[in-house]
Amino acid sequence: MSAVAPGYAAPAPAENYLTAARGVLSWLLTLDHKRIALLYLAAILASFLLGGVFALLIRTELITPGPTLMADATKNRDFYNQMFTLHGAVMTFMFIIPAIPAIIGNFTLPLMLGARDVAFPRLNLASFYCWVGGGVFFVLVLLTGGLDTGWTFYTPYSTETTTRVIPATLGAFILGFSSILTGVNFIASIHMLRPPGMTWFRMPLLLWALYATSIIQILATPVLAITLLLLIAERALGVGIFDPKLGGDPILYQHFFWFYSHPAVYIMILPAMGVVSEVIATFSRKHIFGYRFIAASSIAIALLGFLVWGHHMFSSGQSGMANAIFSLLTFSVSIPSAIKVFNWLATMYRGSIWLKTPMLYALGFILLFGIGGLTGLFLGALATDIHLHDTYFVFAHFHYVMMGSTLFAFLAAMHYWWPKMFGRMYSEFWAASAAVLVFLGQNFTFFPLFVAGARGMPRRYAEYKPEFAVYHQISSLGSYLMAIGLFLVLAVWIHSLLRGRRAPANPWGANTLEWHCASPPPHDNFATTPAAGDPYDVEAWEYDPQTESFVQRDPAVATAGPAR
Amino acid sequence: MIASVLAQFGDSFWMPTDASTYAFRVDRLFYFILAIATFFFALITVLMVLFVVRYRRRDGRIPAPSASHNTALELTWTIIPAILVVLIFVFGLKGYMDMATPPANALDITVTAFKWAWAFTYPNGHVDANLHVPVDRPVRLTLTSQDVIHSLYIPAFRIKKDCVPGRFNRMWFEATKVNDTEGYDLFCAEYCGTSHSAMVAKVYVHDAAGFQRWLEEASRWEGRIAPVQRGAQLYEQRGCRQCHSIDGSRVIGPSFRNAWDEIVEGRRAFADGRRLADLLGEGYTAEDYVRESIYEPGARIVAGYAGVAMPGYRGQVRDNDIPAIIAWLKSLSDRYRSEADLPAAATSPASAPDKGGAR
């Protein structure tokens, strides 16, 4: 067991990062990674709400096969097309991509490193304001005529449409910089700030996941930036790049776009997997199983993720050879994903499983990711993909992987680190009830759509054949259930902030370094740099029923613990 | 609700009717993957539930020590999935390669997609809004688009291919079941703007003799139907109705109700500020303007419709169709209806086009 300076597990000191400075400016101009994480939290949750409202409008429109929300069919179609575009753009660029890295990563990464902050605190704040700047452009799009290209901005439609393509792509361009700056910061922090004792293979798995994510962010995002600039050049200046009328090639756009946007899928899922690795180990009260395989699989996913973009274009007319290669490479990504799932299950084997809210979300993640991942097999195989491409099957698949899995991991992370963030506990009963509601809502909303898709229901249809109505109706009811569940989550959080019991330093008995400092942490995190041991040595902590928290065992006993 | 779900399971829970030689192979692979996916999902769920119940936290129980890694076990669950996915890849590739290679004796049909309808051109030059094919004969489609990317999707045949402007894509299929009354659904699967969800057509599968008969009849309208009916037919079948109303309401383009009055009297105003009256005269008649609006819609944009791009119909609407369209336009005009050369059963603007007749 590492020597931890006394005092970290002590009751909250009089002053913490939330109370260290007062006034609006102390928040808006803060360089403290923890406060920046909370700024992101507020902004990203607002985006999630906005994207969620769009989603509910979409689901309401689809309750009947014909026009539902507006009597005029043309206006209704235009409205629907705008709603699914804005839903996709807001959720992708402003919620799923930044949620875990920017909120959870910013809060926990320096703490897990035993550091006082990220390597470049000013860059961190700049990254937040890039996000805000990108967000302003999106709001501008909303207020000045909307966008109807789909979040993918496919050419030549995006060159022709009269809606606000340029502000929207500029928004995505600026949001991309936010993502790049966060990635640079995390990579530098992990390289430079690891405490004594923390070798690469003693890093918490969340750090491996964030490291892999950061690699993708800094390598792939610039490609999106260039692509969007080229699109802007085509629209604004008539430079022929993608539009065949100007001598361009529309498929070229798809290659550029997916060269970023496929790896971006792993920007969404890798940090989620990192969170789940932490939560499963902590709540199984056991050392994570197969640490090296999980760590290596994160890096493998990040690298292989760059080589599979062509599977979005199997029906576009690209050569059979290209299709075959992209199909094979796509299957290679499924193997590291499978390794992770089996290792999480093996971690639970012979553990002492504690079904607290974060664990419920993590178990939900495994099931949802299971469905999302396994349905990916149908889409990786060429013959079945041709039938399923651009149907609701694809739609349901990525809503299980992106929405289901990433949202669940985000909620697991929020409930796991909530006591550390705010120094308060939440109502376990209501938080767990909300988790069950969201889980049911997710499955009712998206599972029927696999069937609709396999039966031939195309995506992005404002109106559809009556034979598909039943799937859409179950789905719409499910989406309302999910909305109720998510509002309950919010209510639980607000109640916790106002009335929650004070949180101990280590309510869950985890051994990563953030649990060694007070809840909430002081402004400088650690008085002196702690030495790191095995991050999953949970036996070093013992439950103390009197304080309802975990306290460190006598180091002598801890080292004499079970050998492995 | 449950009853209506069950009512659809004539064929199977997951897949629609299979009506091409290719569908059976796709379904076979689909069910193979479904079996693997179900097995692994059940395995994950059972293990999770088992562990949660068996090893749930109890006060005072300290978990027995267990290994934190086991290389042999981890290699096992790396290698078994790897073998399975390679197997799935090979099956998927095999099915796809068969699909990518059309046989030599195929019937050639050219597909032109545009916002928001389809034009299928048959070997004799006939253009139709729906796809008619003979049964048990390979059909090769050459696909392109006039404007943005579309994608031709026939669920019953399990085939899909994008229609990309500026290039020709190719696919083929062989229908196995005659279906010349109801037809199979044909969708646009790539989002293409406002009326994407209305870019729906039908595939009719005829027996060999029936296909020839259909093609001959469909190719000749003169002498069979009145020009005004031909005009109404084109309006319904070639996607005009997606954007132009016949009741005076504004959809995406100008309405055809009383449009002829505006044109022949020169009252039509253009986005560049000019009026049609300034242009009409020797060598540029109202009829010339109609022809131009169909062949080169971008040449003159009606005032109030700047930014609306209509696809051109040169090559898809033939010259002898233009007078028919004009006769039909006249039938939609209050003042010029008497000129429309109406057949005995006079068609009023409200009833002339057979609503929904195309689909």
Side-chain angles (χ1 to χ4, degrees):
Chain A
M1 183 56 216
S2 59
V4 175
Y8 294 141
E15 196 170 73
N16 59 52
Y17 81 102
L18 296 167
T19 56
R22 288 183 182 282
V24 177
L25 283 184
S26 80
W27 281 90
L28 293 183
L29 299 178
T30 184
L31 299 179
D32 181 359
H33 68 99
K34 302 182 287 300
R35 285 192 167 200
I36 291 174
L38 295 194
L39 292 176
Y40 267 121
L41 176 65
I44 288 173
L45 285 183
S47 315
F48 185 52
L49 178 67
L50 186 67
V53 169
F54 295 144
L56 290 176
L57 285 169
I58 293 170
R59 286 297 353 150
T60 305
E61 167 57 43
L62 293 173
I63 286 179
T64 66
T68 307
L69 294 174
M70 295 179 190
D72 183 304
T74 307
K75 285 206 182 92
N76 194 64
R77 285 173 192 164
D78 280 334
F79 179 74
Y80 178 82
N81 295 343
Q82 294 228 353
M83 283 306 107
F84 79 67
T85 299
L86 293 168
H87 166 73
V90 168
M91 285 298 199
T92 308
F93 294 118
M94 297 176 70
F95 175 68
I96 318 179
I97 288 180
I100 297 182
I103 302 171
I104 306 299
N106 259 323
F107 188 86
T108 58
L109 179 135
L111 286 167
M112 282 185 157
L113 290 171
R116 295 173 67 154
D117 210 312
V118 290
F120 309 115
R122 283 186 176 76
L123 205 60
N124 203 14
L125 186 66
S127 150
F128 174 71
Y129 282 105
C130 280
W131 189 95
V132 172
V136 165
F137 274 92
F138 270 72
V139 172
L140 208 68
V141 169
L142 265 183
L143 298 179
T144 61
L147 181 72
D148 74 341
T149 59
W151 77 277
T152 48
F153 303 109
Y154 265 22
T155 54
Y157 188 75
S158 55
T159 332
E160 289 184 18
T161 176
T162 51
T163 55
R164 301 287 170 264
V165 173
I166 292 181
T169 44
L170 273 177
F173 179 83
I174 299 168
L175 287 170
F177 274 95
S178 165
S179 190
I180 294 170
L181 296 182
T182 300
V184 168
N185 224 333
F186 285 2
I187 288 180
S189 303
I190 288 171
H191 273 278
M192 306 307 294
L193 301 181
R194 275 175 294 127
M198 190 184 284
T199 58
W200 281 89
F201 285 105
R202 275 191 158 185
M203 287 200 312
L205 286 164
L206 178 63
L207 295 187
W208 272 103
L210 288 172
Y211 188 82
T213 308
S214 302
I215 292 174
I216 307 176
Q217 283 176 316
I218 63 172
L219 291 181
T221 316
V223 179
L224 177 75
I226 295 162
T227 310
L228 295 178
L229 278 186
L230 290 174
L231 180 59
I232 291 171
E234 180 164 282
R235 252 186 97 89
L237 309 172
V239 182
I241 299 155
F242 306 124
D243 188 347
K245 285 201 194 78
L246 304 169
D249 180 0
I251 303 296
L252 180 67
Y253 175 85
Q254 297 181 15
H255 279 288
F256 283 176
F257 182 82
W258 289 113
F259 186 82
Y260 162 75
S261 292
H262 196 81
V265 172
Y266 302 109
I267 297 179
M268 304 166 196
I269 198 72
L270 275 172
M273 291 167 155
V275 166
V276 171
S277 300
E278 300 297 331
V279 171
I280 296 273
T282 300
F283 291 90
S284 298
R285 305 287 316 128
K286 229 188 92 185
H287 194 282
I288 189 88
F289 186 89
Y291 175 96
R292 279 173 188 253
F293 267 67
I294 296 183
S297 65
S298 287
I299 302 298
I301 290 175
L303 299 180
L304 291 172
F306 275 100
L307 307 175
V308 302
W309 78 90
H311 70 212
H312 292 268
M313 294 147 66
F314 285 159
S315 71
S316 72
Q318 74 184 355
S319 75
M321 177 63 87
N323 281 350
I325 291 170
F326 280 122
S327 171
L328 183 62
L329 288 168
T330 299
F331 280 115
S332 71
V333 186
S334 65
I335 295 160
S337 310
I339 292 174
K340 281 182 193 276
V341 171
F342 288 123
N343 278 326
W344 292 326
L345 287 173
T347 304
M348 291 168 65
Y349 173 68
R350 303 182 80 173
S352 170
I353 294 164
W354 200 17
L355 283 182
K356 289 288 190 181
T357 306
M359 185 63 165
L360 289 179
Y361 280 112
L363 296 180
F365 172 95
I366 294 180
L367 293 177
L368 298 176
F369 183 72
I371 296 177
L374 289 165
T375 50
L377 297 176
F378 296 88
L379 301 169
L382 282 166
T384 38
D385 179 74
I386 296 294
H387 173 59
L388 299 170
H389 177 69
D390 271 335
T391 68
Y392 267 64
F393 193 93
V394 175
F395 169 93
H397 160 72
F398 73 74
H399 276 85
Y400 264 91
V401 181
M402 286 159 61
M403 156 85 192
S405 308
T406 308
L407 176 71
F408 267 62
F410 171 67
L411 291 173
M414 284 304 298
H415 287 90
Y416 182 55
W417 281 290
W418 183 271
K420 187 58 64 184
M421 279 182 179
F422 297 104
R424 300 278 180 174
M425 300 305 285
Y426 47 82
S427 159
E428 187 58 38
F429 172 79
W430 288 107
S433 310
V436 171
L437 276 184
V438 177
F439 182 77
L440 291 176
Q442 159 77 25
N443 287 295
F444 274 113
T445 309
F446 297 111
F447 199 84
L449 301 180
F450 280 119
V451 186
R455 298 187 69 84
M457 167 81 209
R459 282 173 70 187
R460 298 177 167 179
Y461 266 34
E463 293 149 33
Y464 54 86
K465 298 259 161 186
E467 69 204 61
F468 296 115
V470 60
Y471 309 108
H472 281 293
Q473 285 158 359
I474 299 172
S475 172
S476 296
L477 293 178
S479 72
Y480 302 143
L481 184 65
M482 183 148 47
I484 294 170
L486 289 170
F487 276 113
L488 186 55
V489 170
L490 186 65
V492 169
W493 290 356
I494 292 171
H495 179 265
S496 160
L497 290 179
L498 299 176
R499 294 278 170 83
R501 175 170 69 83
R502 290 218 173 273
N506 192 351
W508 318 124
N511 193 40
T512 41
L513 287 177
E514 77 274 25
W515 304 106
H516 289 249
C517 78
S519 299
H523 178 267
D524 286 333
N525 299 348
F526 299 92
T528 54
T529 305
D534 183 339
Y536 298 104
D537 184 15
V538 287
E539 282 95 350
W541 295 78
E542 178 173 45
Y543 190 66
D544 171 21
Q546 287 204 309
T547 55
E548 293 185 59
S549 78
F550 283 79
V551 288
Q552 252 173 324
R553 279 177 212 268
D554 185 336
V557 179
T559 34
R564 62 180 70 82
Chain B
M1 197 180 252
I2 292 166
S4 70
V5 174
L6 292 175
Q8 292 172 27
F9 300 151
D11 311 283
S12 79
F13 178 81
W14 287 98
M15 286 288 178
T17 329
D18 62 329
S20 75
T21 50
Y22 185 59
F24 160 71
R25 289 148 167 257
V26 172
D27 293 5
R28 194 172 52 182
L29 178 60
F30 184 93
Y31 289 114
F32 174 68
I33 302 174
L34 188 64
I36 291 179
T38 310
F39 171 77
F40 277 99
F41 185 69
L43 182 71
I44 292 168
T45 313
V46 166
L47 287 179
M48 183 189 287
V49 171
L50 196 71
F51 293 168
V52 166
V53 173
R54 175 84 176 72
Y55 305 115
R56 72 185 177 279
R57 184 173 190 252
R58 294 186 195 86
D59 282 337
R61 187 177 78 89
I62 295 164
S66 58
S68 70
H69 68 93
N70 180 330
T71 309
L73 193 61
E74 290 175 75
L75 284 177
T76 308
W77 64 52
T78 306
I79 292 168
I80 291 178
I83 293 172
L84 285 175
V85 296
V86 167
L87 212 58
I88 296 173
F89 162 74
V90 170
F91 288 154
L93 180 64
K94 218 169 152 310
Y96 172 80
M97 289 317 283
D98 292 343
M99 193 56 212
T101 347
N105 61 337
L107 170 74
D108 266 306
I109 298 174
T110 306
V111 183
T112 311
F114 53 92
K115 289 194 244 175
W116 288 281
W118 305 91
F120 298 96
T121 309
Y122 295 84
N124 70 349
H126 173 65
V127 182
D128 205 273
N130 292 306
L131 180 58
H132 293 257
V133 296
V135 74
D136 294 333
R137 179 174 171 196
V139 175
R140 178 171 44 206
L141 302 181
T142 306
L143 310 105
T144 190
S145 164
Q146 285 201 349
D147 37 48
V148 300
I149 299 177
H150 303 274
S151 185
L152 187 143
Y153 176 35
I154 306 169
F157 296 172
R158 315 282 191 272
I159 53 166
K160 185 179 290 120
K161 197 78 163 189
D162 293 0
C163 307
V164 182
R167 66 162 78 178
F168 291 101
N169 278 338
R170 201 178 248 190
M171 71 171 169
W172 78 278
F173 61 86
E174 185 177 325
T176 53
K177 291 176 187 162
V178 172
N179 183 349
D180 52 6
T181 47
E182 225 178 272
Y184 299 112
D185 289 326
L186 184 155
F187 295 119
C188 174
E190 183 65 61
Y191 172 70
C192 55
T194 304
S195 296
H196 168 56
S197 59
M199 196 167 158
V200 177
K202 285 282 184 190
V203 186
Y204 296 100
V205 183
H206 304 268
D207 58 42
F211 177 73
Q212 281 310 321
R213 206 162 46 238
W214 168 82
L215 189 58
E216 270 168 40
E217 279 187 18
S219 316
R220 283 181 301 107
W221 63 268
E222 292 106 326
R224 281 200 306 119
I225 55 172
V228 65
Q229 285 170 330
R230 172 64 180 165
Q233 206 179 52
L234 289 168
Y235 171 76
E236 284 297 326
Q237 295 194 348
R238 294 298 167 76
C240 316
R241 64 173 296 166
Q242 306 282 17
C243 302
H244 301 278
S245 81
I246 51 166
D247 59 5
S249 66
R250 178 186 173 128
V251 184
I252 287 162
S255 175
F256 288 156
R257 175 99 171 115
N258 290 326
W260 180 251
D261 313 30
E262 216 182 275
I263 293 167
V264 79
E265 292 165 13
R267 284 185 282 114
R268 175 155 283 190
F270 295 109
D272 59 7
R274 299 169 81 175
R275 292 169 66 82
L276 189 54
D278 308 334
L279 305 163
L280 291 180
E282 283 298 313
Y284 191 78
T285 61
E287 286 80 359
D288 284 329
Y289 168 72
V290 171
R291 185 174 180 276
E292 183 189 65
S293 310
I294 294 168
Y295 287 172
E296 288 172 62
R300 292 178 218 289
I301 305 285
V302 179
Y305 294 88
V308 180
M310 170 180 156
Y313 279 69
R314 189 184 293 282
Q316 292 184 34
V317 170
R318 277 176 284 173
D319 273 355
N320 66 346
D321 285 329
I322 302 285
I325 290 169
I326 291 172
W328 176 71
L329 280 179
K330 286 177 181 171
S331 79
L332 297 175
S333 147
D334 294 333
R335 271 198 278 174
Y336 294 87
R337 196 181 310 171
S338 58
E339 289 183 16
D341 189 19
L342 297 174
T347 43
S348 72
S351 67
D354 172 19
K355 282 217 168 171
R359 45 186 63 95

